[in-house]
Amino acid sequence: MATPLTNGIRLLSLFGTSLLPLFGHSYGPAAKLTAAPGDNPVACTACHAGTLNSGPGSVAILMRGGPVYIPGVKQRISVRVADPNQQRWGFELTARLKSSPESGQAGQLVPVDNFTQVICEDNTPTPCSSGVSFVQHTSAGTRNGTRGGATFQFDWFPPTTDVGPVTLYAAGNAANGNGTNAGDLIYTTSLELNSAIPAAPAVPAGNVISAATYTAGPVAANSWMTIYGTNLGVTTRAWDESDFINGGMPVALDGVSVLLNGSTAPRRATVGFVSPNQVNFLLPSDVNPATVQVQVRNPAGISAQVPITVQATAPQLLTVDGRAAVAFHANGTAVANATPATPGETISLYCTGCGATTPPLIPSQVPVQAAPVATLPTVTIAGAAAAVSSTTVVPASPGVYEVKVQVPASAANGDLPTIIQLGTFSSASVLVTVQK
Ligand code: HEC
């Protein structure tokens, strides 16, 4: 049995013999095997016998913000190799200027984990003295024994200026895992990216509002907020898994960030969604009551300051459609017209900006425990007090709290107005459907 150390020595000696013009192995193939212009047109089938793209599987290049690049703004690229019958995975991808597809390197490819590596066209590791480069699987990345498919992720730093369209070319190997080059299926694909050039963002006064109520008004720390404006982002997307690093929440998505000024030193807020005319952000959990100036920044500029009022308390209930509360029965089904709450039942409501917790939240980190709030809010349903048994942050859902509340035994049938209160602040009214 090989120990990790002897494996490492074996790898080193293999790299020592890698001066062959064309090599290809499970620990990483040679350069120029993507079927891009100037590369080997038969890609990995140069050794893995068979016809390109003849199996039931595929290789796909996935871009979260669509087939665009923003000059100078890092992007995450995923390559998925899939095949229903296979169980080991490899790939190679290159980024080329459409204006010079054989030799025009477009930006820099950078691994984010040990599943990929980058090599130069002369098969040496990066940095490359010249020529084009390739990102490809490592031995660990082949994930032998994983059935159906595997996804590779890496970052791409596009050119810092608009260089016109860029084409990504990829070859994928859906392998059978037998440790030889027989019985594997090779797929190829390409994706053309157009440049997306931001313009300076603008946010009119009054357009930084509560994401729960969609209206302006006082808000509290740890509240989700929405900004409406123009030229905010050039892509449309919410955050996804790959935007988080060690549980830290993103402070920019596709080059768009939100700056806060006035409560603490100038800082960037967590950004959860970007698009050309809407950005969602989370007010930090440690923001102090103050007038806070909000600005959107993108690579083309920064919007004028828009003030918001941050108070010590200003909870708001979350809704599904601006009216009906997000509410669940204890068994996890939603409270809705067809499945109403009953008088006396304890249901879960959800709020944002519901106050400090014990222990305190760590600003900009995804909450991992259901910490209770330091001060329980009160809730009324159709004007009657509804007993609140707990209010805790929802682990893995930043800015969201769960409020367990008992529907008053006296509640009548209907869609009943429901309000959450903390200190002297009463939330907007939302509706909970109750039926005896
Ligand atoms: C010069 C010949 C050659 C080329 C070209 C080549 N390979 Fe291979 N490949 C091999 C050989 C030989 C093996 C078996 C030995 C090993 O696993 O290292 C192999 C094994 C593999 C395996 C493991 C297969 C299994 O079933 O266990 C993967 C995955 C793989 N190659 C991916 C690729 C990809 C992706 C490309 C194209 C980008 C490629 N190879 C191009 C020769 C080649």
Side-chain angles (χ1 to χ4, degrees):
M1 268 272 273
T3 65
L5 181 64
T6 55
N7 262 338
I9 290 164
R10 186 174 144 262
L11 271 183
L12 284 176
S13 63
L14 285 172
F15 275 116
T17 61
S18 68
L19 296 170
L20 300 167
L22 181 70
F23 64 92
H25 287 286
S26 50
Y27 58 81
K32 291 186 163 260
L33 289 169
T34 66
D39 285 16
N40 192 327
V42 298
C44 320
T45 60
C47 302
H48 293 265
T51 309
L52 278 181
N53 301 311
S54 58
S58 61
V59 59
I61 302 168
L62 308 167
M63 312 279 295
R64 298 172 304 176
V68 296
Y69 73 91
I70 307 162
V73 176
K74 180 179 82 170
Q75 272 175 276
R76 180 63 55 91
I77 298 177
S78 303
V79 170
R80 177 144 184 95
V81 189
D83 190 296
N85 310 316
Q86 301 292 70
Q87 57 170 346
R88 194 177 184 189
W89 312 97
F91 85 107
E92 186 170 276
L93 175 142
T94 190
R96 305 280 174 85
L97 303 177
K98 193 186 181 191
S99 58
S100 131
E102 297 196 0
S103 58
Q105 171 68 25
Q108 299 299 321
L109 298 158
V110 179
V112 296
D113 58 23
N114 69 343
F115 287 172
T116 72
Q117 60 195 338
V118 178
I119 61 165
C120 309
E121 68 175 26
D122 61 359
N123 293 316
T124 59
T126 51
C128 306
S129 47
S130 66
V132 291
S133 57
F134 301 82
V135 59
Q136 56 175 224
H137 67 266
T138 59
S139 188
T142 64
R143 283 161 281 179
N144 201 357
T146 304
R147 299 201 162 266
T151 301
F152 297 89
Q153 286 195 36
F154 46 90
D155 280 338
W156 179 54
F157 292 81
T160 51
T161 56
D162 182 0
V163 293
V166 165
T167 315
L168 306 177
Y169 296 90
N173 183 353
N176 61 0
N178 67 354
T180 76
N181 55 349
D184 306 328
L185 293 164
I186 308 300
Y187 302 98
T188 53
T189 191
S190 66
L191 182 66
E192 185 171 320
L193 311 179
N194 285 300
S195 58
I197 307 302
V203 178
N207 276 25
V208 181
I209 63 181
S210 160
T213 63
Y214 281 103
T215 56
V219 289
N222 207 29
S223 292
W224 277 104
M225 305 287 298
T226 292
I227 301 171
Y228 285 116
T230 49
N231 300 324
L232 305 180
V234 287
T235 57
T236 297
R237 72 175 183 93
W239 66 17
D240 73 17
E241 237 174 275
S242 58
D243 293 307
F244 295 78
I245 299 166
N246 294 331
M249 301 191 271
V251 289
L253 293 181
D254 294 350
V256 181
S257 54
V258 174
L259 301 187
L260 306 177
N261 227 309
S263 144
T264 54
R267 69 200 289 193
R268 292 192 290 175
T270 293
V271 181
F273 174 83
V274 293
S275 73
N277 48 29
Q278 183 183 347
V279 168
N280 292 350
F281 72 97
L282 183 63
L283 264 184
S285 56
D286 62 346
V287 73
N288 296 318
T291 297
V292 172
Q293 304 291 345
V294 180
Q295 291 169 286
V296 173
R297 182 178 196 161
N298 72 19
I302 187 162
S303 62
Q305 296 189 331
V306 172
I308 58 170
T309 303
V310 177
Q311 294 189 161
T313 58
Q316 294 291 353
L317 292 164
L318 301 182
T319 68
V320 274
D321 55 3
R323 287 170 54 81
V326 177
F328 286 93
H329 299 283
N331 69 4
T333 57
V335 173
N337 282 330
T339 48
T342 53
E345 180 188 350
T346 295
I347 59 172
S348 291
L349 300 175
Y350 296 85
C351 63
T352 191
C354 292
T357 61
T358 314
L361 293 163
I362 302 168
S364 316
Q365 286 285 314
V366 176
V368 293
Q369 55 172 316
V373 293
T375 309
L376 272 187
T378 57
V379 171
T380 61
I381 297 181
V388 175
S389 49
S390 70
T391 300
T392 52
V393 299
V394 180
S397 290
V400 179
Y401 304 66
E402 178 181 16
V403 185
K404 287 204 172 126
V405 61
Q406 190 178 18
V407 178
S410 60
N413 291 345
D415 295 337
L416 304 184
T418 301
I419 291 170
I420 189 167
Q421 289 163 308
L422 201 50
T424 55
F425 185 89
S426 294
S427 73
S429 176
V430 304
L431 298 176
V432 173
T433 305
V434 176
Q435 181 82 49
K436 283 192 184 66

